[in-house]
Short mmCIF file of all heavy atoms in Angstrom, two decimals:
data_model
loop_
_atom_site.label_atom_id
_atom_site.label_comp_id
_atom_site.label_asym_id
_atom_site.label_seq_id
_atom_site.Cartn_x
_atom_site.Cartn_y
_atom_site.Cartn_z
N ILE A 1 194.89 70.54 155.78
CA ILE A 1 193.74 70.92 156.55
C ILE A 1 193.85 72.44 156.63
O ILE A 1 194.78 72.98 156.86
CB ILE A 1 193.85 70.39 157.96
CG1 ILE A 1 193.90 68.79 157.95
CG2 ILE A 1 192.76 70.88 158.84
CD1 ILE A 1 194.05 68.20 159.18
N MET A 2 192.58 73.08 156.42
CA MET A 2 192.57 74.55 156.28
C MET A 2 191.86 75.14 157.47
O MET A 2 191.22 76.13 157.45
CB MET A 2 191.76 74.98 155.07
CG MET A 2 192.51 74.57 153.78
SD MET A 2 191.58 75.01 152.36
CE MET A 2 191.31 76.77 152.62
N LEU A 3 192.05 74.48 158.73
CA LEU A 3 191.37 74.97 159.88
C LEU A 3 191.89 76.34 160.37
O LEU A 3 190.97 77.12 160.92
CB LEU A 3 191.50 73.96 161.03
CG LEU A 3 190.98 72.61 160.75
CD1 LEU A 3 191.41 71.64 161.91
CD2 LEU A 3 189.52 72.64 160.64
N GLY A 4 193.02 76.75 160.05
CA GLY A 4 193.58 78.04 160.43
C GLY A 4 192.83 79.15 159.79
O GLY A 4 192.88 80.27 160.29
N LYS A 5 192.13 78.99 158.71
CA LYS A 5 191.48 80.01 157.91
C LYS A 5 190.04 80.09 158.27
O LYS A 5 189.28 80.82 157.71
CB LYS A 5 191.70 79.81 156.50
CG LYS A 5 193.16 79.89 156.09
CD LYS A 5 193.28 79.68 154.63
CE LYS A 5 194.72 79.79 154.22
NZ LYS A 5 194.91 79.78 152.74
N MET A 6 189.54 79.24 159.19
CA MET A 6 188.10 79.22 159.53
C MET A 6 187.84 80.03 160.71
O MET A 6 188.74 80.26 161.58
CB MET A 6 187.72 77.75 159.76
CG MET A 6 187.73 76.79 158.53
SD MET A 6 187.47 75.18 159.02
CE MET A 6 185.82 75.21 159.60
N ASP A 7 186.66 80.47 160.94
CA ASP A 7 186.26 81.13 162.22
C ASP A 7 185.95 79.99 163.20
O ASP A 7 184.93 79.28 163.01
CB ASP A 7 184.92 81.99 162.00
CG ASP A 7 184.44 82.56 163.27
OD1 ASP A 7 185.09 82.47 164.29
OD2 ASP A 7 183.29 83.11 163.15
N ASN A 8 186.71 79.77 164.19
CA ASN A 8 186.67 78.76 165.14
C ASN A 8 185.79 79.12 166.39
O ASN A 8 185.60 78.26 167.23
CB ASN A 8 188.05 78.34 165.63
CG ASN A 8 189.00 77.92 164.51
OD1 ASN A 8 188.53 77.52 163.43
ND2 ASN A 8 190.17 78.15 164.67
N SER A 9 185.15 80.28 166.37
CA SER A 9 184.40 80.61 167.60
C SER A 9 183.19 79.82 167.84
O SER A 9 182.70 79.79 169.01
CB SER A 9 183.93 82.14 167.47
OG SER A 9 183.17 82.26 166.29
N PHE A 10 182.69 79.03 166.97
CA PHE A 10 181.41 78.26 167.12
C PHE A 10 181.75 76.90 167.69
O PHE A 10 180.89 76.04 167.87
CB PHE A 10 180.52 78.30 165.87
CG PHE A 10 181.17 77.61 164.72
CD1 PHE A 10 181.08 76.36 164.39
CD2 PHE A 10 181.90 78.50 163.91
CE1 PHE A 10 181.63 75.76 163.30
CE2 PHE A 10 182.54 77.90 162.75
CZ PHE A 10 182.32 76.59 162.47
N TYR A 11 183.07 76.43 167.67
CA TYR A 11 183.40 75.08 168.07
C TYR A 11 183.32 74.97 169.63
O TYR A 11 183.73 75.93 170.35
CB TYR A 11 184.72 74.80 167.59
CG TYR A 11 184.81 74.36 166.10
CD1 TYR A 11 185.24 75.35 165.22
CD2 TYR A 11 184.37 73.23 165.66
CE1 TYR A 11 185.28 75.12 163.80
CE2 TYR A 11 184.41 72.87 164.25
CZ TYR A 11 184.85 73.93 163.41
OH TYR A 11 184.88 73.63 162.07
N TYR A 12 182.92 73.72 170.02
CA TYR A 12 183.01 73.46 171.56
C TYR A 12 184.53 73.39 171.90
O TYR A 12 185.25 72.81 171.25
CB TYR A 12 182.29 72.20 171.79
CG TYR A 12 182.52 71.75 173.17
CD1 TYR A 12 181.90 72.30 174.25
CD2 TYR A 12 183.23 70.54 173.36
CE1 TYR A 12 182.02 71.86 175.52
CE2 TYR A 12 183.48 70.10 174.66
CZ TYR A 12 182.81 70.65 175.74
OH TYR A 12 182.98 70.37 177.06
N LYS A 13 184.81 74.10 172.98
CA LYS A 13 186.13 74.09 173.51
C LYS A 13 186.32 72.98 174.53
O LYS A 13 186.25 73.18 175.72
CB LYS A 13 186.57 75.46 174.02
CG LYS A 13 186.30 76.57 173.10
CD LYS A 13 187.19 76.57 171.74
CE LYS A 13 187.04 77.84 171.18
NZ LYS A 13 187.06 77.83 169.73
N GLY A 14 186.57 71.82 174.10
CA GLY A 14 186.63 70.62 174.94
C GLY A 14 187.98 70.16 175.21
O GLY A 14 188.97 70.86 174.78
N LYS A 15 188.08 69.01 175.86
CA LYS A 15 189.45 68.46 176.09
C LYS A 15 189.62 67.25 175.06
O LYS A 15 188.62 66.62 174.58
CB LYS A 15 189.48 67.67 177.42
CG LYS A 15 189.56 68.65 178.51
CD LYS A 15 189.74 67.98 179.88
CE LYS A 15 189.67 68.80 181.01
NZ LYS A 15 189.83 68.10 182.43
N ALA A 16 190.83 67.07 174.66
CA ALA A 16 191.13 65.97 173.63
C ALA A 16 192.38 65.22 174.05
O ALA A 16 193.39 65.83 174.52
CB ALA A 16 191.36 66.70 172.27
N PHE A 17 192.31 63.96 173.94
CA PHE A 17 193.45 63.00 174.18
C PHE A 17 193.65 62.22 172.98
O PHE A 17 192.80 61.41 172.71
CB PHE A 17 193.22 62.21 175.46
CG PHE A 17 194.12 61.10 175.74
CD1 PHE A 17 195.47 61.40 175.66
CD2 PHE A 17 193.95 59.84 176.13
CE1 PHE A 17 196.53 60.46 175.94
CE2 PHE A 17 194.81 58.90 176.44
CZ PHE A 17 196.09 59.23 176.31
N VAL A 18 194.77 62.48 172.25
CA VAL A 18 195.07 61.87 170.93
C VAL A 18 196.14 60.90 171.09
O VAL A 18 197.24 61.13 171.60
CB VAL A 18 195.37 62.90 169.95
CG1 VAL A 18 195.67 62.20 168.53
CG2 VAL A 18 194.28 63.99 169.84
N ILE A 19 195.82 59.66 170.54
CA ILE A 19 196.83 58.58 170.61
C ILE A 19 197.11 58.04 169.23
O ILE A 19 196.18 57.93 168.49
CB ILE A 19 196.40 57.41 171.46
CG1 ILE A 19 196.03 57.83 172.87
CG2 ILE A 19 197.43 56.31 171.44
CD1 ILE A 19 195.27 56.79 173.72
N GLY A 20 198.33 57.89 168.83
CA GLY A 20 198.70 57.26 167.68
C GLY A 20 199.66 56.14 167.84
O GLY A 20 200.79 56.35 168.28
N ASN A 21 199.30 54.92 167.59
CA ASN A 21 200.18 53.72 167.61
C ASN A 21 200.41 53.11 166.30
O ASN A 21 199.50 52.70 165.63
CB ASN A 21 199.63 52.72 168.58
CG ASN A 21 199.84 53.04 170.10
OD1 ASN A 21 200.34 54.06 170.37
ND2 ASN A 21 199.27 52.19 170.94
N ASP A 22 201.68 53.10 165.86
CA ASP A 22 202.08 52.31 164.69
C ASP A 22 202.55 50.94 164.99
O ASP A 22 202.56 50.13 164.13
CB ASP A 22 203.23 53.05 163.96
CG ASP A 22 202.81 54.26 163.17
OD1 ASP A 22 201.65 54.30 162.75
OD2 ASP A 22 203.65 55.17 162.80
N HIS A 23 203.00 50.71 166.20
CA HIS A 23 203.59 49.42 166.61
C HIS A 23 202.76 48.74 167.75
O HIS A 23 202.43 49.28 168.69
CB HIS A 23 204.97 49.62 167.08
CG HIS A 23 205.79 50.39 166.16
ND1 HIS A 23 206.20 49.89 164.91
CD2 HIS A 23 206.33 51.67 166.11
CE1 HIS A 23 206.93 50.88 164.29
NE2 HIS A 23 207.01 51.97 165.05
N TYR A 24 202.45 47.47 167.42
CA TYR A 24 201.68 46.73 168.38
C TYR A 24 202.50 45.35 168.57
O TYR A 24 203.13 44.91 167.73
CB TYR A 24 200.35 46.44 167.81
CG TYR A 24 199.51 47.56 167.74
CD1 TYR A 24 199.36 48.41 166.60
CD2 TYR A 24 198.64 47.88 168.91
CE1 TYR A 24 198.54 49.45 166.59
CE2 TYR A 24 197.81 49.03 168.86
CZ TYR A 24 197.85 49.82 167.69
OH TYR A 24 197.07 51.01 167.65
N ASP A 25 202.36 44.77 169.78
CA ASP A 25 203.00 43.55 170.11
C ASP A 25 202.46 42.30 169.26
O ASP A 25 203.33 41.54 168.86
CB ASP A 25 202.85 43.17 171.55
CG ASP A 25 203.70 44.14 172.39
OD1 ASP A 25 204.64 44.83 171.92
OD2 ASP A 25 203.31 44.22 173.64
N GLN A 26 201.16 42.16 169.03
CA GLN A 26 200.63 41.01 168.48
C GLN A 26 199.80 41.33 167.21
O GLN A 26 198.95 40.57 166.81
CB GLN A 26 199.68 40.37 169.48
CG GLN A 26 200.48 39.94 170.71
CD GLN A 26 199.52 39.34 171.79
OE1 GLN A 26 198.29 39.31 171.60
NE2 GLN A 26 200.06 38.92 172.87
N MET A 27 200.20 42.50 166.54
CA MET A 27 199.43 42.81 165.33
C MET A 27 200.56 43.38 164.36
O MET A 27 201.65 43.84 164.89
CB MET A 27 198.45 43.93 165.52
CG MET A 27 197.42 43.53 166.56
SD MET A 27 195.82 43.11 165.99
CE MET A 27 195.43 44.09 164.67
N PRO A 28 200.27 43.36 163.11
CA PRO A 28 201.28 43.92 162.13
C PRO A 28 201.38 45.40 162.30
O PRO A 28 200.37 46.16 162.73
CB PRO A 28 200.65 43.68 160.78
CG PRO A 28 199.58 42.52 160.93
CD PRO A 28 199.16 42.62 162.30
N ASP A 29 202.43 45.98 162.12
CA ASP A 29 202.75 47.49 162.23
C ASP A 29 201.85 48.29 161.33
O ASP A 29 201.53 47.79 160.16
CB ASP A 29 204.19 47.82 162.07
CG ASP A 29 205.05 47.47 163.21
OD1 ASP A 29 204.47 47.00 164.22
OD2 ASP A 29 206.28 47.53 163.08
N LEU A 30 201.43 49.46 161.67
CA LEU A 30 200.80 50.43 160.76
C LEU A 30 201.77 51.39 160.28
O LEU A 30 202.89 51.53 160.76
CB LEU A 30 199.70 51.14 161.57
CG LEU A 30 198.60 50.18 162.20
CD1 LEU A 30 197.61 51.02 163.08
CD2 LEU A 30 197.78 49.46 161.15
N ASN A 31 201.47 52.08 159.21
CA ASN A 31 202.30 53.03 158.54
C ASN A 31 202.10 54.51 158.90
O ASN A 31 203.04 55.25 158.96
CB ASN A 31 202.26 52.82 157.12
CG ASN A 31 202.74 51.53 156.58
OD1 ASN A 31 203.77 50.89 157.15
ND2 ASN A 31 202.04 50.95 155.68
N ASN A 32 200.86 54.86 159.24
CA ASN A 32 200.58 56.31 159.33
C ASN A 32 199.83 56.71 160.56
O ASN A 32 199.47 57.97 160.72
CB ASN A 32 199.87 56.80 158.09
CG ASN A 32 200.65 56.65 156.88
OD1 ASN A 32 201.81 57.11 156.83
ND2 ASN A 32 200.10 56.08 155.81
N ALA A 33 199.67 55.82 161.51
CA ALA A 33 198.75 56.26 162.69
C ALA A 33 199.46 57.37 163.53
O ALA A 33 198.69 58.25 163.98
CB ALA A 33 198.55 55.09 163.61
N VAL A 34 200.70 57.33 163.72
CA VAL A 34 201.38 58.35 164.52
C VAL A 34 201.38 59.66 163.71
O VAL A 34 201.03 60.65 164.36
CB VAL A 34 202.85 57.98 164.78
CG1 VAL A 34 203.62 59.14 165.34
CG2 VAL A 34 202.93 56.88 165.76
N ASN A 35 201.58 59.68 162.41
CA ASN A 35 201.49 60.94 161.62
C ASN A 35 200.04 61.46 161.61
O ASN A 35 199.93 62.60 161.87
CB ASN A 35 202.04 60.71 160.24
CG ASN A 35 202.16 61.93 159.48
OD1 ASN A 35 202.82 62.90 159.91
ND2 ASN A 35 201.53 61.97 158.24
N ASP A 36 199.12 60.61 161.52
CA ASP A 36 197.75 60.98 161.60
C ASP A 36 197.39 61.68 162.81
O ASP A 36 196.70 62.74 162.94
CB ASP A 36 196.77 59.84 161.23
CG ASP A 36 196.86 59.37 159.75
OD1 ASP A 36 197.37 60.08 158.94
OD2 ASP A 36 196.34 58.24 159.54
N ALA A 37 197.82 61.04 163.95
CA ALA A 37 197.52 61.58 165.29
C ALA A 37 198.15 62.95 165.46
O ALA A 37 197.57 63.84 166.10
CB ALA A 37 198.11 60.55 166.41
N LYS A 38 199.42 63.11 164.95
CA LYS A 38 200.00 64.41 164.99
C LYS A 38 199.17 65.53 164.36
O LYS A 38 199.05 66.60 164.81
CB LYS A 38 201.41 64.33 164.41
CG LYS A 38 202.40 63.60 165.22
CD LYS A 38 203.81 63.58 164.52
CE LYS A 38 204.72 62.75 165.41
NZ LYS A 38 206.10 62.60 164.76
N ASN A 39 198.64 65.17 163.07
CA ASN A 39 197.79 66.04 162.44
C ASN A 39 196.54 66.39 163.13
O ASN A 39 196.04 67.55 163.26
CB ASN A 39 197.59 65.54 160.96
CG ASN A 39 198.73 65.57 160.17
OD1 ASN A 39 199.68 66.35 160.29
ND2 ASN A 39 198.85 64.62 159.07
N ILE A 40 195.87 65.33 163.70
CA ILE A 40 194.59 65.55 164.43
C ILE A 40 194.90 66.50 165.64
O ILE A 40 194.17 67.29 165.99
CB ILE A 40 193.99 64.21 164.78
CG1 ILE A 40 193.55 63.49 163.52
CG2 ILE A 40 192.92 64.40 165.77
CD1 ILE A 40 192.39 64.17 162.80
N HIS A 41 195.97 66.13 166.43
CA HIS A 41 196.26 66.84 167.60
C HIS A 41 196.51 68.30 167.27
O HIS A 41 195.95 69.22 167.90
CB HIS A 41 197.70 66.19 168.23
CG HIS A 41 198.01 66.70 169.58
ND1 HIS A 41 198.97 67.73 169.58
CD2 HIS A 41 197.59 66.46 170.81
CE1 HIS A 41 199.10 67.94 171.05
NE2 HIS A 41 198.26 67.25 171.67
N GLU A 42 197.25 68.64 166.22
CA GLU A 42 197.46 69.99 165.81
C GLU A 42 196.16 70.68 165.34
O GLU A 42 195.91 71.86 165.77
CB GLU A 42 198.42 69.99 164.58
CG GLU A 42 198.79 71.42 164.04
CD GLU A 42 199.80 71.41 162.92
OE1 GLU A 42 200.85 70.68 163.13
OE2 GLU A 42 199.56 72.04 161.96
N ALA A 43 195.33 69.90 164.68
CA ALA A 43 193.97 70.54 164.25
C ALA A 43 193.13 70.94 165.48
O ALA A 43 192.47 71.96 165.51
CB ALA A 43 193.26 69.48 163.32
N LEU A 44 193.09 69.96 166.38
CA LEU A 44 192.25 70.19 167.62
C LEU A 44 192.86 71.39 168.40
O LEU A 44 192.09 72.16 168.96
CB LEU A 44 192.28 68.94 168.55
CG LEU A 44 191.38 67.81 168.00
CD1 LEU A 44 191.68 66.55 168.76
CD2 LEU A 44 190.00 68.17 167.82
N GLN A 45 194.12 71.57 168.49
CA GLN A 45 194.65 72.70 169.13
C GLN A 45 194.36 74.03 168.37
O GLN A 45 193.93 74.97 169.11
CB GLN A 45 196.17 72.59 169.20
CG GLN A 45 196.64 71.65 170.31
CD GLN A 45 198.23 71.44 170.27
OE1 GLN A 45 198.84 71.55 169.30
NE2 GLN A 45 198.71 71.42 171.42
N THR A 46 194.32 73.94 167.02
CA THR A 46 193.85 75.09 166.23
C THR A 46 192.56 75.50 166.57
O THR A 46 192.16 76.63 166.55
CB THR A 46 194.11 74.82 164.78
OG1 THR A 46 195.56 74.50 164.59
CG2 THR A 46 193.69 75.97 163.87
N LEU A 47 191.63 74.52 166.83
CA LEU A 47 190.25 74.83 167.08
C LEU A 47 190.00 75.19 168.56
O LEU A 47 188.92 75.48 168.91
CB LEU A 47 189.42 73.44 166.85
CG LEU A 47 189.27 73.11 165.30
CD1 LEU A 47 188.63 71.75 165.24
CD2 LEU A 47 188.54 74.13 164.59
N GLY A 48 191.05 75.27 169.43
CA GLY A 48 190.89 75.71 170.68
C GLY A 48 190.73 74.64 171.73
O GLY A 48 190.44 75.01 172.85
N PHE A 49 190.86 73.40 171.40
CA PHE A 49 190.70 72.33 172.41
C PHE A 49 191.89 72.31 173.39
O PHE A 49 192.97 72.67 172.94
CB PHE A 49 190.72 70.96 171.74
CG PHE A 49 189.41 70.54 171.16
CD1 PHE A 49 188.88 71.15 169.97
CD2 PHE A 49 188.52 69.63 171.80
CE1 PHE A 49 187.68 70.81 169.44
CE2 PHE A 49 187.34 69.29 171.27
CZ PHE A 49 186.91 69.82 170.09
N MET A 50 191.58 71.96 174.67
CA MET A 50 192.68 71.81 175.57
C MET A 50 193.07 70.35 175.27
O MET A 50 192.30 69.41 175.30
CB MET A 50 192.11 71.75 177.04
CG MET A 50 191.74 73.19 177.51
SD MET A 50 191.33 73.32 179.29
CE MET A 50 191.20 71.59 179.81
N THR A 51 194.29 70.23 174.91
CA THR A 51 194.89 68.81 174.57
C THR A 51 195.86 68.33 175.54
O THR A 51 196.73 69.13 176.10
CB THR A 51 195.48 68.84 173.15
OG1 THR A 51 196.49 69.87 173.16
CG2 THR A 51 194.43 69.20 172.13
N MET A 52 195.78 67.07 175.78
CA MET A 52 196.80 66.41 176.60
C MET A 52 198.00 66.35 175.67
O MET A 52 197.90 66.44 174.44
CB MET A 52 196.38 64.95 176.93
CG MET A 52 195.13 64.94 177.88
SD MET A 52 195.52 65.40 179.53
CE MET A 52 196.68 64.14 180.07
N PRO A 53 199.22 66.07 176.23
CA PRO A 53 200.33 65.88 175.27
C PRO A 53 200.06 64.61 174.38
O PRO A 53 199.49 63.67 174.73
CB PRO A 53 201.47 65.45 176.24
CG PRO A 53 201.21 66.15 177.51
CD PRO A 53 199.67 66.02 177.60
N LEU A 54 200.53 64.76 173.14
CA LEU A 54 200.30 63.68 172.12
C LEU A 54 200.94 62.39 172.68
O LEU A 54 202.08 62.50 173.13
CB LEU A 54 200.92 64.10 170.82
CG LEU A 54 200.80 63.11 169.63
CD1 LEU A 54 199.35 62.83 169.32
CD2 LEU A 54 201.53 63.70 168.48
N ALA A 55 200.29 61.36 172.52
CA ALA A 55 200.76 60.01 172.90
C ALA A 55 200.91 59.17 171.76
O ALA A 55 200.01 59.01 171.01
CB ALA A 55 199.87 59.34 173.95
N THR A 56 202.26 58.71 171.57
CA THR A 56 202.41 57.73 170.46
C THR A 56 203.26 56.54 170.81
O THR A 56 203.99 56.52 171.75
CB THR A 56 203.34 58.56 169.35
OG1 THR A 56 204.48 58.93 169.93
CG2 THR A 56 202.62 59.72 168.68
N ASP A 57 202.76 55.46 170.23
CA ASP A 57 203.32 54.16 170.40
C ASP A 57 203.43 53.80 171.85
O ASP A 57 204.48 53.45 172.45
CB ASP A 57 204.62 53.96 169.79
CG ASP A 57 204.59 53.95 168.25
OD1 ASP A 57 203.60 53.27 167.81
OD2 ASP A 57 205.35 54.51 167.53
N ILE A 58 202.31 53.85 172.62
CA ILE A 58 202.25 53.66 174.11
C ILE A 58 201.71 52.31 174.33
O ILE A 58 200.86 51.85 173.54
CB ILE A 58 201.48 54.77 174.83
CG1 ILE A 58 200.07 54.78 174.43
CG2 ILE A 58 202.21 56.11 174.66
CD1 ILE A 58 199.19 55.81 175.29
N SER A 59 202.05 51.78 175.44
CA SER A 59 201.49 50.51 175.91
C SER A 59 200.18 50.70 176.50
O SER A 59 199.76 51.78 176.90
CB SER A 59 202.54 49.74 176.83
OG SER A 59 202.55 50.57 178.11
N ILE A 60 199.52 49.64 176.83
CA ILE A 60 198.18 49.67 177.53
C ILE A 60 198.39 50.17 178.99
O ILE A 60 197.48 50.98 179.38
CB ILE A 60 197.48 48.35 177.52
CG1 ILE A 60 196.01 48.43 178.21
CG2 ILE A 60 198.24 47.26 178.35
CD1 ILE A 60 195.12 49.21 177.23
N ASP A 61 199.48 49.91 179.54
CA ASP A 61 199.72 50.51 180.98
C ASP A 61 200.05 51.94 180.87
O ASP A 61 199.43 52.68 181.76
CB ASP A 61 200.96 49.79 181.51
CG ASP A 61 200.68 48.29 181.90
OD1 ASP A 61 199.57 48.01 182.13
OD2 ASP A 61 201.67 47.57 181.96
N GLU A 62 200.73 52.37 179.89
CA GLU A 62 200.98 53.85 179.68
C GLU A 62 199.59 54.55 179.39
O GLU A 62 199.33 55.63 179.85
CB GLU A 62 201.87 54.09 178.56
CG GLU A 62 203.38 53.62 179.00
CD GLU A 62 204.29 53.72 177.82
OE1 GLU A 62 203.92 53.13 176.75
OE2 GLU A 62 205.38 54.37 177.85
N PHE A 63 198.83 53.90 178.50
CA PHE A 63 197.52 54.55 178.18
C PHE A 63 196.66 54.68 179.47
O PHE A 63 196.05 55.70 179.74
CB PHE A 63 196.69 53.56 177.17
CG PHE A 63 195.28 53.97 177.04
CD1 PHE A 63 194.99 55.05 176.16
CD2 PHE A 63 194.32 53.32 177.67
CE1 PHE A 63 193.64 55.39 175.99
CE2 PHE A 63 193.04 53.73 177.52
CZ PHE A 63 192.63 54.72 176.74
N THR A 64 196.66 53.62 180.32
CA THR A 64 195.83 53.68 181.48
C THR A 64 196.39 54.74 182.44
O THR A 64 195.58 55.50 183.03
CB THR A 64 195.91 52.26 182.19
OG1 THR A 64 195.30 51.29 181.38
CG2 THR A 64 195.07 52.28 183.46
N SER A 65 197.56 54.93 182.54
CA SER A 65 198.18 56.02 183.40
C SER A 65 197.82 57.37 182.89
O SER A 65 197.46 58.24 183.70
CB SER A 65 199.76 55.73 183.47
OG SER A 65 200.24 56.96 184.15
N VAL A 66 197.95 57.58 181.65
CA VAL A 66 197.60 58.92 181.05
C VAL A 66 196.10 59.15 181.13
O VAL A 66 195.74 60.35 181.46
CB VAL A 66 198.09 58.93 179.54
CG1 VAL A 66 197.61 60.20 178.98
CG2 VAL A 66 199.57 58.87 179.45
N GLN A 67 195.30 58.11 180.95
CA GLN A 67 193.91 58.32 181.02
C GLN A 67 193.48 58.66 182.45
O GLN A 67 192.67 59.58 182.68
CB GLN A 67 193.11 57.07 180.62
CG GLN A 67 191.65 57.07 180.65
CD GLN A 67 191.00 55.77 180.29
OE1 GLN A 67 191.52 54.79 180.56
NE2 GLN A 67 189.90 55.82 179.66
N ARG A 68 194.08 58.08 183.45
CA ARG A 68 193.75 58.41 184.85
C ARG A 68 194.22 59.78 185.18
O ARG A 68 193.45 60.57 185.87
CB ARG A 68 194.57 57.43 185.80
CG ARG A 68 193.84 56.15 185.97
CD ARG A 68 194.51 55.28 186.99
NE ARG A 68 193.92 53.97 186.94
CZ ARG A 68 194.62 52.81 187.07
NH1 ARG A 68 195.97 52.87 187.08
NH2 ARG A 68 193.96 51.69 186.99
N LYS A 69 195.37 60.21 184.66
CA LYS A 69 195.87 61.62 184.84
C LYS A 69 194.87 62.63 184.27
O LYS A 69 194.58 63.70 184.77
CB LYS A 69 197.32 61.82 184.31
CG LYS A 69 198.37 61.09 185.18
CD LYS A 69 199.64 61.39 184.50
CE LYS A 69 200.79 60.48 185.22
NZ LYS A 69 202.02 60.58 184.46
N SER A 70 194.35 62.27 183.02
CA SER A 70 193.36 63.23 182.37
C SER A 70 192.13 63.37 183.06
O SER A 70 191.46 64.42 183.09
CB SER A 70 193.32 62.80 180.92
OG SER A 70 192.43 61.66 180.78
N LEU A 71 191.67 62.28 183.69
CA LEU A 71 190.41 62.39 184.33
C LEU A 71 190.50 63.01 185.79
O LEU A 71 189.58 63.59 186.19
CB LEU A 71 189.86 60.90 184.62
CG LEU A 71 189.47 60.15 183.39
CD1 LEU A 71 189.12 58.67 183.76
CD2 LEU A 71 188.40 60.76 182.71
N ASN A 72 191.69 62.94 186.33
CA ASN A 72 191.87 63.61 187.63
C ASN A 72 192.40 65.06 187.46
O ASN A 72 192.50 65.81 188.53
CB ASN A 72 192.92 62.90 188.42
CG ASN A 72 192.39 61.46 188.85
OD1 ASN A 72 191.16 61.23 189.08
ND2 ASN A 72 193.23 60.55 188.88
N GLY A 73 192.79 65.48 186.13
CA GLY A 73 193.42 66.83 186.13
C GLY A 73 192.41 67.75 185.38
O GLY A 73 192.04 68.68 185.40
#
């Protein structure tokens, strides 16, 4: 990704919450979701987004908790 070489001044500076889950209880495991999420998280930070901490392999309860915190913060 070549985002570091672009003029980022025209991008909307929003909030981003990135989740990458490779492991699920009732589904086959994925191979690259966590790695993809890390790359997206980094790219959004480069563009100036306010990002929540990257969340990986979280349960639905953890997702709900983080989502509530992001809406209240």
Side-chain angles (χ1 to χ4, degrees):
I1 301 177
M2 297 179 54
L3 298 174
K5 296 182 180 183
M6 297 172 61
D7 175 12
N8 301 332
S9 61
F10 61 91
Y11 286 100
Y12 172 71
K13 307 296 190 215
K15 290 184 181 180
F17 175 40
V18 180
I19 303 169
N21 280 358
D22 279 339
H23 306 291
Y24 293 90
D25 292 336
Q26 299 176 358
M27 305 256 321
D29 285 351
L30 300 174
N31 295 320
N32 293 312
V34 169
N35 190 53
D36 292 346
K38 288 177 183 176
N39 290 333
I40 293 296
H41 188 260
E42 183 179 308
L44 291 170
Q45 287 179 321
T46 299
L47 291 172
F49 280 76
M50 289 185 352
T51 57
M52 297 287 294
L54 176 65
T56 59
D57 290 319
I58 62 173
S59 68
I60 189 67
D61 292 334
E62 291 169 311
F63 170 80
T64 301
S65 174
V66 172
Q67 183 183 33
R68 282 189 187 132
K69 288 178 187 174
S70 71
L71 293 174
N72 295 328

